[in-house]
């Protein structure tokens, strides 16, 4: 299959969270166009089974292919943990997830060989972060902690609220006691709590943001495959947004975090793909 360098990148997530990944792509690869899909009708993925997430991911990839994307970013940590390995084999298009880039940088960052990972229940119980870290360095100890309340709190806009801080202190206590010096923000929403989490963990703990690392890894992948867009885009709408439900709410959230004014979000029937 021949792929066009100027074709967009497909980015998908269970909902709005993956916009943190889209945001890093916009900042770090400004010449790339994006088609984003947020599965707002079926969010959250973090409490669902592997079979379900695989089925959803296949449908979304089929939809993104109809948009002639040149590569796909699985922006959702949960889908990267549970579906990426299978869909990579099934589809004839470059696909990258958020877990490998985050795990790689955490290994390069830790000095005391103690890494913490926070994410959804599904991501933490998949054990993928620890196993990728062990492949790179088996001497590193990895401590996982699911923080399921962070997603609704962020979506409520309570990123600076004392209640969220209280919840964060409770979740993170265990990791503080484990003396980790590196913490992976292993869920799309957590970079939006970065300053709070950083303050609680203290300045001796380095936070790894998989959204940022994925944008850089995507750039390397596009270079390796000769797919990086080198022309400045003069298109009026270089970024397009699709959802499976509640398009207006999505647009509002997107406009609160993106360095780009989202004017239109289109709802599609994802079950038909
Ligand atoms: N996008 C999901 C993730 O990064 C969080 C939200 C959800 O559970 O669907 O794991």
């Amino acid at each position: 299959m021949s792929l066009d360098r100027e074709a967009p990148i497909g980015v998908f997530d269970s909902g709005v969270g993956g916009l943190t990944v889209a945001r890093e792509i916009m900042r770090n690869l400004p010449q790339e166009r994006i088609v984003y899909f947020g599965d707002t009708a079926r969010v959250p993925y973090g409490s669902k089974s592997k079979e379900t997430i695989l089925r959803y991911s296949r449908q979304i990839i089929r939809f993104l292919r109809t948009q002639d994307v040149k590569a796909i970013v699985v922006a959702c940590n949960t889908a990267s943990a549970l579906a990426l390995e299978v869909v990579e084999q099934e589809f004839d298009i470059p696909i990258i997830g958020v877990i490998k880039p985050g795990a790689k940088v955490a290994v390069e960052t830790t000095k005391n060989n103690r890494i913490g990972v926070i994410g959804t229940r599904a991501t933490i119980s998949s054990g993928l972060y620890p196993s990728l870290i062990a492949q790179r360095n088996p001497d590193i100890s990895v401590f996982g902690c699911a923080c399921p309340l962070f997603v609704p709190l962020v979506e409520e806009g309570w990123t600076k609220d004392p209640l969220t801080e209280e919840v964060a202190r409770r979740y993170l206590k265990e990791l503080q006691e484990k003396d980790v010096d590196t913490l992976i923000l292993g869920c799309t929403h957590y970079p939006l709590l970065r300053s709070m989490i950083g303050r609680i963990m203290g300045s001796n703990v380095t936070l790894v943001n998989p959204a940022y690392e994925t944008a850089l890894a995507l750039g390397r992948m596009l270079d390796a495959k000769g797919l990086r867009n080198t022309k400045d885009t003069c298109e009026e709408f270089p970024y397009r947004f699709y959802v499976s439900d509640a398009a207006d709410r999505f647009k509002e959230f997107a406009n609160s975090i993106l360095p780009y004014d989202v004017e239109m979000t289109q709802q599609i029937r994802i079950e038909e793909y």
Side-chain angles (χ1 to χ4, degrees), residues 13-15 17-18 43-47 75-79 120 123 151 155 186-189:
D13 178 50
S14 54
V43 68
Y45 282 12
S47 50
C76 179
N77 281 257
T78 305
T120 62
T123 298
V151 167
E155 293 200 8
C187 172
T188 46
H189 293 58

Side-chain angles (χ1 to χ4, degrees), residues 12-16 37-49 51-64 76 78-79 151 155 189 242-246 250 267-273:
F12 80 86
D13 178 50
S14 54
V16 293
F37 176 78
D39 202 357
T40 45
R42 306 188 292 196
V43 68
Y45 282 12
S47 50
K48 296 200 169 69
S49 69
E51 293 65 42
T52 300
I53 291 167
L54 194 51
R55 182 161 57 84
Y56 291 173
S57 301
R58 286 181 177 130
Q59 287 174 332
I60 298 167
I61 294 171
R62 287 196 283 265
F63 162 70
L64 288 172
C76 179
T78 305
V151 167
E155 293 200 8
H189 293 58
Y242 295 87
V243 291
S244 46
D245 198 9
F250 177 93
Q267 185 172 331
I268 57 151
R269 289 177 198 270
I270 195 66
E271 302 83 6
E272 291 174 3
Y273 290 87

Side-chain angles (χ1 to χ4, degrees), residues 81-95:
L82 301 181
L84 178 63
E85 210 186 332
V86 176
V87 294
E88 261 176 345
Q89 304 300 320
E90 290 177 349
F91 291 89
D92 172 25
I93 185 166
I95 306 182

